[in-house]
Amino acid sequence: MNTITENKPKSIELKARFSMFFSQKNLMRWWHHFMIEKGFLLCLLGLLLGRAVILSTLSPFALAFIVSVWYLRRDKVVALICFSLIGACTYSIMHGVYLVLAIATMLLLNIIFFHVKHIEKLLPLIALISTFLPRLCLYAWEGPLTYVQWMLALVEGVLAAVLLLIFMQSLPLLSPKRYKPTLKNEEIVCLIILLASVLTGLTGIEWYGAQFEQILARYLVLLLALIGGASIGSTVGVVAGLILSLANIGNLYQMSLLAFAGLLGGLLKEGKKLAVSVGLFVSTVLLSLYGDSFDYIGAALIESSFAVFLFVLTPNALISKIARYIPGTVEHTKEQEQYLQKVRDVTAHRVERFSSVFKALSRSFQIDSNQLKDEDIEVDYYLSNVAEKTCQTCFKKETCWVKQFDQTYDLMKGVKSELETPSGLSKVTKHQFENHCIKSRRVIDAMQQELSFFQANQQLKKQVLESRRFVADQLSGVSDVMENFAKEILKEKENHEQQELEIVAALKHVGIELEKLDVYSLEKGNIDIEMVILFQQYHGEAAKLIAPILSDILDETIIVVTEDVSPMAKGHSFFTFGSARRYVVSTGMAHAAKGGGLVSGDSYKAMELGAGHYALAISDGMGNGDRAHEESMETLRLLQQILESGLHEQVAIKSINSILSLRTNEEIYATLDLAMIDLHHASVRFLKIGSSPSYVMRSDAIERIEASNLPIGIIQEFDVEVVTAELKPGDYLIMMSDGIFEGPKEIENVDMWLKRKLREMETKEPQEIADLLLEEVIRSQGGMIEDDMTVLVAQIDKNHPKWAPIRTDASFYPAYSWQ
């Protein structure tokens, strides 16, 4: 009893070890180690290629394979030669003798060309000579050489050279470490040729009348037709059938059978293994009828049955693993998506690291509060320098700076403060200082002399601090942009299954069948939906029907962003739908150059920046003509590029000022009038840098917008004053250059005159308002244009889509109603 209980755990342990050893993972590891790394697979291929013969006498396969292995994996060439000779001897003794002579010739040529630098270029020639000469010697041994024998030997040599190039493309695919995730079409064809050549070595081996090479060829066609579809399946069938037909001319019809089976099986691949197998049987029955008797049909059906049996036994995991290397398959697509996701993750991680670096740099440039409170220390240094030049040799030094230190320090500090004022030193302070210091005159002169250095040092320090603050703001802005960019990279297409079901049901109810629906984003104000639809005849259903339905379902106004309608009936039409802005802006511009010239120093831009923002800008360069035009255009060009990059408008303007002030020593500056309109909330932010006032014209009042800032490029550091205003539908925004605002010379109150002219206008079109206002200013100057003039008018209004939403009923699709 004890023996039984002791043996039972041992049997369980042995069973566990046995199952572990024969698990799929261990079997795959064993296969890879023994067959690939140890090179036994190459030996097995060499054994079969040694038996491969085409056209009854030619055998270019074995030597071409040996030469390619000698070049690519030389450590396995000895074992390969041994197995190839064994395979050749199983076919015939003379065939083995021929292979021995060919290998000997190959080794002799390698010795001769050993010192050649690029020997790989000579490998096809080595294969050709090593095949041609031994075959010619054997023909000469049998009797006098004929033209046919010369031609057969030459053809065999050329085939060996060609097969060498093909095998060299295929061998890296069987290497222990393969890093390329996909196969090129050329590599797939080369691998198929290698496998078909190996199958040729099975010629003559039969089982119940079924030929092994035909069974494996059909199995290969089934496998690759299921994986790669009709194109890969038919290609495999043609290549394998052609090579096998050369081995046995009587089986020439097999090429048609394999090609048709690959084509039909590939077309039926959606039905999985069963449908592909049916395609093989159909091809076998149809093409076997070309035989002389019904015996061909029986043998062909047996071969196809064995092939299907092997095909059914093939694990799906192995099929999926092979499919990862074939372009166009689902598995390959998933592999590429995983690779792209990894690349996105790595890129986003690097961008985040750069963002952190810029954030850290921004913090390092930020000004410490203690740096702004060290004025007393600077004053101490100033008074120390004065005392060193005046009090160092005075006999009352100890009395003033030791016994009466506080009194002396306060008096000298008071003198310094009054010397900095425009009125200068007062008589009272001067009298007090003279009573305290016996060298008061000399000390005051020294303080005045040092004061200029002190003020210059203070100004320089202030500029450095302002520059640091500006750099910190810029770095912080860049960091924010990069952080947002990293988030965009990582943003995946979210799963909106519930909304997709509701959209499909609603469109199906109105008779629209979707071929494809992708919902990328349902964020308010940033809807992104793509559809592929089949229309018999397209009559604008996307804008008239689909967009209103989406607007009703998503509770947001949706419009057609892009549409690509197929010109054919029942063709695939592609549509993209997105959020409509709550407000739209219509603009009008009018400008005139000084003296009626062609080139104006004023420049203007109206640009939509995305994310629901619209920018209006006017820049006035210094002076007139080409130089002023270049300055204003450069300012607006920089502004557009920086705003489109995502930086905040205040940081953008400071960046432009820094660029323009540092790029040259000449005095170059330009004004900038910028209005940023939010199309979602109808708010506007004005940033006016040395520009003229702007006006917001409402139905009941006209509001003046102004700010006091120096033009861009004059000083390197300045604060941008921002003025905000709320707009309503129908409001007008009028922006102008100084040529408009300062043009009417004879009018005392230009502001009231402009407001009156705007109120008296009967038109509501922005372009007409701009034209009329420019005309009134020119008339006020007696028809003369004394300066560059630019006026920009924008009207904001609610966005009213052409087609209104259709109110759908939940009863249309009760199963998909929102929870």
Side-chain angles (χ1 to χ4, degrees):
M1 191 71 180
N2 294 333
T3 305
I4 296 176
T5 56
E6 289 177 0
N7 290 335
K8 190 174 181 180
K10 291 182 179 180
S11 62
I12 295 175
E13 183 180 354
L14 289 173
K15 185 177 180 181
R17 289 183 179 180
F18 185 81
S19 60
M20 184 182 297
F21 178 78
F22 285 98
S23 65
Q24 183 178 359
K25 187 175 181 180
N26 286 333
L27 285 176
M28 292 300 295
R29 188 184 296 114
W30 174 84
W31 168 270
H32 186 271
H33 174 75
F34 187 69
M35 301 293 287
I36 304 296
E37 294 183 6
K38 295 298 183 181
F40 187 75
L41 179 60
L42 296 178
C43 297
L44 181 60
L45 295 179
L47 178 68
L48 296 176
L49 290 174
R51 287 179 44 84
V53 176
I54 60 174
L55 300 178
S56 301
T57 57
L58 304 184
S59 179
F61 302 104
L63 186 73
F65 192 69
I66 291 172
V67 175
S68 59
V69 172
W70 176 85
Y71 179 71
L72 295 174
R73 297 190 65 183
R74 192 168 301 182
D75 58 319
K76 310 298 181 187
V77 72
V78 176
L80 174 63
I81 291 174
C82 295
F83 276 84
S84 300
L85 291 175
I86 294 173
C89 292
T90 59
Y91 183 80
S92 69
I93 299 299
M94 289 303 297
H95 186 53
V97 172
Y98 159 74
L99 189 56
V100 169
L101 294 176
I103 294 172
T105 307
M106 183 267 293
L107 295 177
L108 180 61
L109 291 175
N110 285 325
I111 294 173
I112 295 174
F113 297 115
F114 179 75
H115 296 289
V116 177
K117 188 174 182 180
H118 298 287
I119 194 173
E120 66 274 7
K121 296 181 180 179
L122 298 177
L123 290 179
L125 180 61
I126 293 175
L128 189 150
I129 297 174
S130 301
T131 308
F132 174 74
L133 289 181
R135 182 63 66 186
L136 208 60
C137 292
L138 289 179
Y139 284 151
W141 179 268
E142 295 174 358
L145 294 175
T146 63
Y147 289 110
V148 175
Q149 291 174 338
W150 277 91
M151 184 60 66
L152 288 175
L154 182 60
V155 169
E156 188 173 9
V158 173
L159 286 176
V162 174
L163 288 171
L164 169 68
L165 299 176
I166 293 174
F167 292 163
M168 290 184 68
Q169 291 283 331
S170 305
L171 277 180
L173 309 180
L174 306 176
S175 61
K177 295 182 179 179
R178 171 172 170 79
Y179 299 102
K180 291 178 63 178
T182 59
L183 295 177
K184 295 186 293 186
N185 292 331
E186 295 82 1
E187 293 177 332
I188 295 175
V189 174
C190 291
L191 187 59
I192 292 171
I193 293 175
L194 174 61
L195 296 176
S197 303
V198 171
L199 294 180
T200 308
L202 296 173
T203 303
I205 303 177
E206 297 182 0
W207 190 43
Y208 288 99
Q211 300 178 12
F212 266 42
E213 73 274 11
Q214 297 299 333
I215 295 173
L216 294 180
R218 295 176 194 185
Y219 168 73
L220 184 63
V221 168
L222 288 173
L223 186 64
L224 291 179
L226 177 64
I227 294 174
S231 59
I232 298 295
S234 58
T235 302
V236 173
V238 170
V239 174
L242 176 61
I243 295 177
L244 291 176
S245 299
L246 293 175
N248 186 356
I249 302 299
N251 292 332
L252 187 60
Y253 80 95
Q254 297 284 353
M255 181 172 64
S256 302
L257 189 153
L258 294 174
F260 187 52
L263 177 63
L264 192 58
L267 294 175
L268 299 174
K269 61 174 291 189
E270 299 300 329
K272 304 302 180 183
K273 290 183 178 180
L274 178 61
V276 177
S277 302
V278 170
L280 175 62
F281 281 118
V282 171
S283 305
T284 303
V285 172
L286 290 178
L287 294 177
S288 296
L289 295 176
Y290 286 99
D292 296 334
S293 65
F294 287 98
D295 295 338
Y296 284 103
I297 299 178
L301 287 175
I302 292 174
E303 291 168 352
S304 297
S305 300
F306 281 130
V308 169
F309 178 72
L310 294 176
F311 180 57
V312 173
L313 291 181
T314 304
N316 292 327
L318 179 60
I319 297 176
S320 299
K321 189 173 182 179
I322 298 175
R324 290 165 49 193
Y325 298 97
I326 308 298
T329 62
V330 177
E331 291 79 7
H332 175 263
T333 303
K334 292 181 179 178
E335 188 80 10
Q336 292 296 308
E337 289 177 354
Q338 292 177 0
Y339 174 74
L340 293 176
Q341 179 61 40
K342 184 177 180 180
V343 171
R344 284 197 296 268
D345 293 342
V346 172
T347 304
H349 180 63
R350 289 184 178 179
V351 173
E352 288 176 349
R353 289 174 61 184
F354 280 122
S355 175
S356 301
V357 170
F358 280 105
K359 187 71 74 176
L361 290 174
S362 174
R363 287 194 296 267
S364 66
F365 276 96
Q366 288 176 356
I367 301 170
D368 191 0
S369 59
N370 295 328
Q371 292 178 293
L372 301 177
K373 299 178 180 180
D374 57 356
E375 184 178 354
D376 293 337
I377 299 176
E378 295 293 332
V379 173
D380 290 345
Y381 281 126
Y382 167 78
L383 296 179
S384 298
N385 292 333
V386 173
E388 184 179 357
K389 293 181 178 180
T390 56
C391 302
Q392 194 69 25
T393 58
C394 182
F395 68 93
K396 292 188 66 177
K397 170 185 174 182
E398 185 175 352
T399 303
C400 295
W401 290 104
V402 177
K403 297 179 180 179
Q404 300 177 355
F405 175 83
D406 293 338
Q407 184 180 359
T408 303
Y409 183 85
D410 292 339
L411 281 172
M412 292 185 69
K413 189 175 180 180
V415 171
K416 169 191 170 295
S417 299
E418 292 189 4
L419 287 175
E420 291 178 331
T421 60
S423 58
L425 187 62
S426 64
K427 294 182 179 180
V428 176
T429 305
K430 183 178 181 181
H431 180 70
Q432 291 177 352
F433 190 67
E434 288 176 348
N435 291 335
H436 180 77
C437 179
I438 61 173
K439 297 181 179 181
S440 59
R441 186 64 185 173
R442 182 182 175 186
V443 172
I444 292 174
D445 292 341
M447 292 181 69
Q448 288 178 335
Q449 184 179 1
E450 287 289 330
L451 188 61
S452 60
F453 296 105
F454 175 78
Q455 291 174 343
N457 185 42
Q458 288 294 102
Q459 182 65 24
L460 180 61
K461 185 175 180 180
K462 182 180 179 182
Q463 290 180 352
V464 170
L465 294 178
E466 291 295 330
S467 299
R468 291 185 61 178
R469 181 186 291 111
F470 169 63
V471 172
D473 293 340
Q474 284 185 318
L475 292 174
S476 178
V478 172
S479 175
D480 293 338
V481 172
M482 297 183 75
E483 185 177 358
N484 294 332
F485 180 57
K487 292 178 180 178
E488 289 295 326
I489 293 176
L490 291 175
K491 185 182 292 184
E492 289 292 326
K493 186 178 76 171
E494 299 178 3
N495 185 16
H496 305 287
E497 183 179 358
Q498 182 68 28
Q499 292 85 339
E500 288 179 359
L501 291 175
E502 187 168 356
I503 292 171
V504 170
L507 295 180
K508 186 176 182 180
H509 179 77
V510 296
I512 297 177
E513 294 287 343
L514 294 178
E515 286 291 312
K516 183 180 179 183
L517 172 64
D518 289 319
V519 179
Y520 291 98
S521 173
L522 290 180
E523 180 184 354
K524 288 294 184 182
N526 194 28
I527 301 288
D528 188 6
I529 299 175
E530 292 183 357
M531 294 183 186
V532 176
I533 310 174
L534 295 180
F535 286 109
Q536 182 69 36
Q537 287 185 341
Y538 181 69
H539 298 289
E541 286 86 351
K544 300 175 183 177
L545 197 60
I546 300 176
I549 290 177
L550 294 177
S551 301
D552 181 57
I553 293 175
L554 302 176
D555 195 22
E556 184 176 348
T557 304
I558 306 298
I559 59 173
V560 180
V561 179
T562 59
E563 61 178 17
D564 185 9
V565 181
S566 174
M568 299 180 296
K570 284 291 183 180
H572 291 80
S573 300
F574 176 78
F575 303 94
T576 301
F577 299 89
S579 301
R581 309 303 183 203
R582 293 184 61 188
Y583 299 90
V584 292
V585 176
S586 55
T587 59
M589 298 95 163
H591 63 95
K594 181 179 180 180
L598 298 176
V599 180
S600 173
D602 297 346
S603 299
Y604 57 87
K605 271 188 182 293
M607 45 195 168
E608 188 165 359
L609 301 175
H613 288 90
Y614 197 91
L616 304 169
I618 296 178
S619 179
D620 183 4
M622 180 182 64
N624 309 101
D626 294 336
R627 181 65 180 275
H629 178 73
E630 291 177 3
E631 294 166 6
S632 59
M633 283 298 296
E634 178 71 6
T635 300
L636 293 185
R637 185 184 66 82
L638 291 172
L639 176 68
Q640 182 175 3
Q641 290 179 345
I642 297 175
L643 288 178
E644 288 177 348
S645 68
L647 282 177
H648 195 270
E649 54 266 22
Q650 288 179 271
V651 179
I653 291 176
K654 288 186 177 182
S655 301
I656 296 171
N657 179 76
S658 177
I659 294 171
L660 295 181
S661 60
L662 295 177
R663 69 176 182 174
T664 179
N665 294 326
E666 300 179 11
E667 187 176 319
I668 295 177
Y669 63 88
T671 66
L672 179 62
D673 192 0
L674 174 64
M676 296 286 294
I677 303 176
D678 189 339
L679 298 179
H680 291 298
H681 305 94
S683 61
V684 59
R685 291 162 53 88
F686 293 92
L687 293 90
K688 309 181 76 63
I689 313 298
S691 59
S692 302
S694 299
Y695 294 90
V696 176
M697 184 169 65
R698 311 183 191 277
S699 58
D700 55 349
I702 298 179
E703 180 183 353
R704 173 171 170 168
I705 307 295
E706 60 182 342
S708 56
N709 289 315
L710 289 174
I712 284 181
I714 292 184
I715 59 175
Q716 293 188 15
E717 295 83 23
F718 65 100
D719 292 325
V720 180
E721 184 179 352
V722 181
V723 180
T724 60
E726 295 295 330
L727 300 178
K728 297 179 180 179
D731 289 353
Y732 292 87
L733 175 61
I734 298 96
M735 302 168 64
M736 62 191 71
S737 64
D738 57 354
I740 296 290
F741 188 76
E742 300 174 0
K745 302 293 184 183
E746 305 298 329
I747 299 174
E748 295 184 2
N749 194 334
V750 179
D751 179 64
M752 295 298 297
W753 181 80
L754 287 173
K755 290 181 178 179
R756 179 170 60 83
K757 290 296 181 182
L758 290 172
R759 276 194 295 265
E760 291 175 353
M761 290 185 183
E762 297 180 359
T763 180
K764 299 299 182 183
E765 292 295 327
Q767 185 60 52
E768 295 180 0
I769 294 175
D771 293 335
L772 291 174
L773 187 59
L774 178 64
E775 183 180 352
E776 289 291 340
V777 174
I778 294 175
R779 283 182 178 180
S780 68
Q781 297 178 349
M784 302 296 293
I785 303 177
E786 300 180 358
D787 193 6
D788 298 324
M789 299 181 184
T790 301
V791 57
L792 194 155
V793 180
Q795 183 187 23
I796 188 167
D797 205 349
K798 277 204 168 185
N799 186 17
H800 298 289
K802 186 176 180 180
W803 302 95
I806 299 174
R807 294 299 166 186
T808 56
D809 190 356
S811 61
F812 290 162
Y813 37 90
Y816 306 122
S817 59
W818 288 45
Q819 300 297 325

